[in-house]
């Protein structure tokens, strides 16, 4: 009888360990996202910010901002920036557009996820208005221009003269269908 009691105690501890590890695994994703947003590591950008009030532009230098667009496998959309790069002064507001078209025979909802390279530049890349702040649904065959209004913080390190902003579109409708 004593042996059975020892095994049940061990099983309870192992089950508790598995539950604790699962909880920790679920907590890692939001913690990682907050960490990346605060530090700018992994190229994650923050949410919307207010336009700079002072309009202080650093005319002593320029930064090239490149734009790249990706569509995940199986998403029947065309997606690309209207321009592949712009040259801006830190502090200057700039507006660009991305073209998107739903090639599917039904409505599709997407979410655009941004990333900035080099990663340290993400915390200096501020989006005032961006299609990535919300989900976008297009009917079958529908197309649209999606707006991005941004500025670079004048505190951007001087050794960074090029930033690449990439967006990846993810199909949210596929999740709803399953």
């Amino acid at each position: 009888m004593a042996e059975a009691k020892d095994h049940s105690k061990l099983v309870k501890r192992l089950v508790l360990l598995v539950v604790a590890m699962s909880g920790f695994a679920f907590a890692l994703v939001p913690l990682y996202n907050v960490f990346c947003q605060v530090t700018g590591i992994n190229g994650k950008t923050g949410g919307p910010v207010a336009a700079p009030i002072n309009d202080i532009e650093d005319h002593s230098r320029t930064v090239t901002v490149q734009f790249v667009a990706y569509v995940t496998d199986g998403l029947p959309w065309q997606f690309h920036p209207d321009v592949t790069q712009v040259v801006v002064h830190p502090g200057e507001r700039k507006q660009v557009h991305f073209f998107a078209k739903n090639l599917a025979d039904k409505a599709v909802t997407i979410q655009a996820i941004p990333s900035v390279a080099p990663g340290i530049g993400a915390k200096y890349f501020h989006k005032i208005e961006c299609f990535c702040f919300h989900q976008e649904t297009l009917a079958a065959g529908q197309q649209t221009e999606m707006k991005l209004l941004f500025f670079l913080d004048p505190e951007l390190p001087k050794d960074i003269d090029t930033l690449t902003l990439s967006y990846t579109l993810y199909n949210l409708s596929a999740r709803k269908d399953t």
Side-chain angles (χ1 to χ4, degrees):
M1 192 72 165
E3 257 183 67
K5 187 177 178 184
D6 290 340
H7 288 298
S8 65
K9 194 174 183 180
L10 176 63
V11 169
K12 287 178 186 177
R13 286 183 181 172
L14 289 174
V15 168
L16 183 62
L17 180 65
V18 168
V19 169
M21 288 172 59
S22 297
F24 182 70
F26 281 109
L28 273 179
V29 173
L31 289 173
Y32 176 74
N33 286 337
V34 168
F35 176 77
C36 289
Q37 202 169 32
V38 168
T39 63
I41 294 175
N42 199 23
K44 292 191 179 237
T45 60
V49 298
I53 296 170
N54 301 350
D55 286 334
I56 300 173
E57 295 180 19
D58 181 356
H59 289 281
S60 69
R61 66 186 184 131
T62 59
V63 178
T64 301
V65 179
Q66 302 170 330
F67 303 101
V68 181
Y70 299 102
V71 177
T72 54
D73 288 340
L75 178 60
W77 278 45
Q78 287 180 351
F79 178 57
H80 60 81
D82 285 350
V83 295
T84 57
Q85 68 179 31
V86 293
V87 177
V88 298
H89 297 287
E92 173 187 5
R93 282 182 251 170
K94 197 68 161 182
Q95 181 174 306
V96 296
H97 292 89
F98 284 70
F99 171 83
K101 182 175 183 180
N102 179 2
L103 303 175
D105 58 0
K106 62 181 179 178
V108 176
T109 301
I110 58 92
Q111 178 71 54
I113 305 298
S115 180
V116 174
I120 191 67
K123 69 181 188 179
Y124 301 97
F125 196 105
H126 302 296
K127 295 182 299 284
I128 300 166
E129 187 176 333
C130 182
F131 57 91
C132 64
F133 295 153
H134 56 274
Q135 298 172 1
E136 183 81 36
T137 301
L138 293 184
Q142 184 180 3
Q143 65 186 38
T144 188
E145 289 284 327
M146 299 189 297
K147 179 179 173 180
L148 167 65
L149 178 61
F150 71 95
F151 69 96
L152 303 179
D153 190 315
E155 298 298 317
L156 178 73
K158 302 279 188 216
D159 62 331
I160 297 178
D161 59 2
T162 302
L163 289 172
T164 301
L165 174 63
S166 65
Y167 285 102
T168 303
L169 293 188
Y170 289 92
N171 186 348
L172 299 183
S173 298
R175 289 185 188 174
K176 295 174 187 174
D177 295 341
T178 55

